[in-house]
Amino acid sequence: MAREQSVGAADVDRASDVGRPADVGQPADAGQGADVEKPVGVADIGVTGLAVMGSNLARNFARHGYRVAVHNRTWAKTEALVAEHGTDGTFYPSRSVEDFVASLAKPRVAVIMVKAGAGTDAVIDQLAAVMEPGDIIVDAGNAHFPDTVQREEALRERGIHFVGTGVSGGEEGALNGPSIMPGGTEESYARLGPMLEDIAAKVDGVPCCTHVGPGGAGHFVKMVHNGIEYADMQLIAEAYDLLRQGLGASAAEIGQIFAEWNTGDLESFLIEITADVLQHVDAATGKAFVDVVLDQAEQKGTGRWTVQNALDLGVPITGIAEATFARALSGSVPQRAAGRAHLPAHAAGWEVHDRAAFVEDVRLALYASKVVAYSQGFDQIAAAAAEYGWDIDRGAMARIWRGGCIIRARFLGRITEAYERDPDLPLLLADEYFTGAVANGLPAWRRVVAGAAQNGVPTPAFSSSLAYYDGVRAERLPAALIQAQRDFFGAHTYRRVDADGVFHTRWSGDRGEERQD
């Protein structure tokens, strides 16, 4: 999948609705003294928090003809942005929050790009103190959606719009076109949306940005996006490990396999960069780069948030959960050391007799497992929309993830089509396309998971995804026994297959049955 191309200032042939000033690229306030005239009400949008993501987002707005107010807690970063990238467009730098807000055209729009948590609250308080009713504060960081809900409610009482906005695509996306997931009110999107859609990635001319829903909906969808990203990365890592263990192939050889996969149904940003990473050679040692990287994957918390919320909602997202726990296991250093020293494998060496067939089996199993992960993620979005009163278009979410973001992939177009066929689709796997696609790979999927188990290769995401598939399609589950056990020790009651109502058996008495409703 081709990466998005940078848009330079020279490529922009439009300006903001209020026009672009003549002094393009020249800061109106260099902050050199009190006698310097400060700009008032001239910037289309402002960005505060100028680390890499914030700076790149500000530059993206400027490249698209918007006049951008910029501010950072330390003046040096603001000064550096204007000095190094002033030719990208028009920037209005400010030393203080007061001057930053004053430089914005009304209704003011200020984008916060700072670390989630207390830092975000501090900046919100500073902005709100000098803003007016009707102004808009946008948090474009990775905030936890319950925090966004609370902030939105608090600012609403003051007449200020608060828009929790998910931004995916990393540093490159922020500069060249990310996938953007804004929440907040319809009124705020009318002011903010056109600018976000302008700077977002485009696929077939369609912006990878849409209004997600009210309150914390934008940050919620970004959280689930990140959870799916966890699952996708874990599945790719397991596919790599299977090919290495089963074939004894080098990292570079496996990288070539991934490059080939990237030309078909698996085409995606993550498959593309995996091929690059696996074929990269460490300059210091001459070894495959992946072999000199410590096998301990870190995380910033969005995967955990996704799993915690799924537990609250009662939605099984087994692939995402296993991917999150796999990262935790990789960092469990004392436990892994003890396991290596004492736990037997009782597994024979893996002997693959047909290399091409095995590679194809892993490819099919990877695709099927990825479909399960996305299906589970969209189930979580549907459950949250019902629980929190958000009207989220799942097809639109798949559409805005097709470009700019980390999980962008060819088959997201298929997901959009599935929800266009049935907006109320209860299970993505039940869509005709995905039913056929997964069924085609099912025998291979079973062979891969069974082979991994027999040969002692851990595949938590592959295995749990297959178990979910078999569970969701099963005619009857052993949950009947669990419910009977619950009634036995806790009088939690049960329902019968042959009668309406709720029942309890007197287990410690005559074991007669009594109706409870």
Side-chain angles (χ1 to χ4, degrees), residues 343-379:
L343 302 182
H346 294 305
W350 205 335
E351 294 184 8
V352 172
H353 300 290
D354 188 332
R355 176 189 174 94
F358 181 74
V359 170
E360 179 63 3
D361 275 0
V362 175
R363 185 188 73 83
L364 291 168
L366 174 58
Y367 188 77
S369 298
K370 281 164 66 76
V371 172
V372 167
Y374 281 74
S375 181
Q376 292 176 346
F378 280 101
D379 280 351

Side-chain angles (χ1 to χ4, degrees), residues 248-271:
S250 68
E253 290 171 331
I254 299 171
Q256 292 171 358
I257 291 171
F258 273 91
E260 177 61 29
W261 287 353
N262 198 49
T263 64
D265 289 340
L266 283 172
E267 179 191 4
S268 67
F269 174 72
L270 285 172
I271 294 290

Side-chain angles (χ1 to χ4, degrees), residues 385-410:
E387 177 71 17
Y388 307 127
W390 301 331
D391 183 17
I392 300 178
D393 183 343
R394 288 175 290 172
M397 298 307 98
R399 184 173 63 250
I400 67 173
W401 290 348
R402 292 182 303 160
C405 70
I406 303 302
I407 64 171
R408 59 186 185 264
R410 177 189 291 189

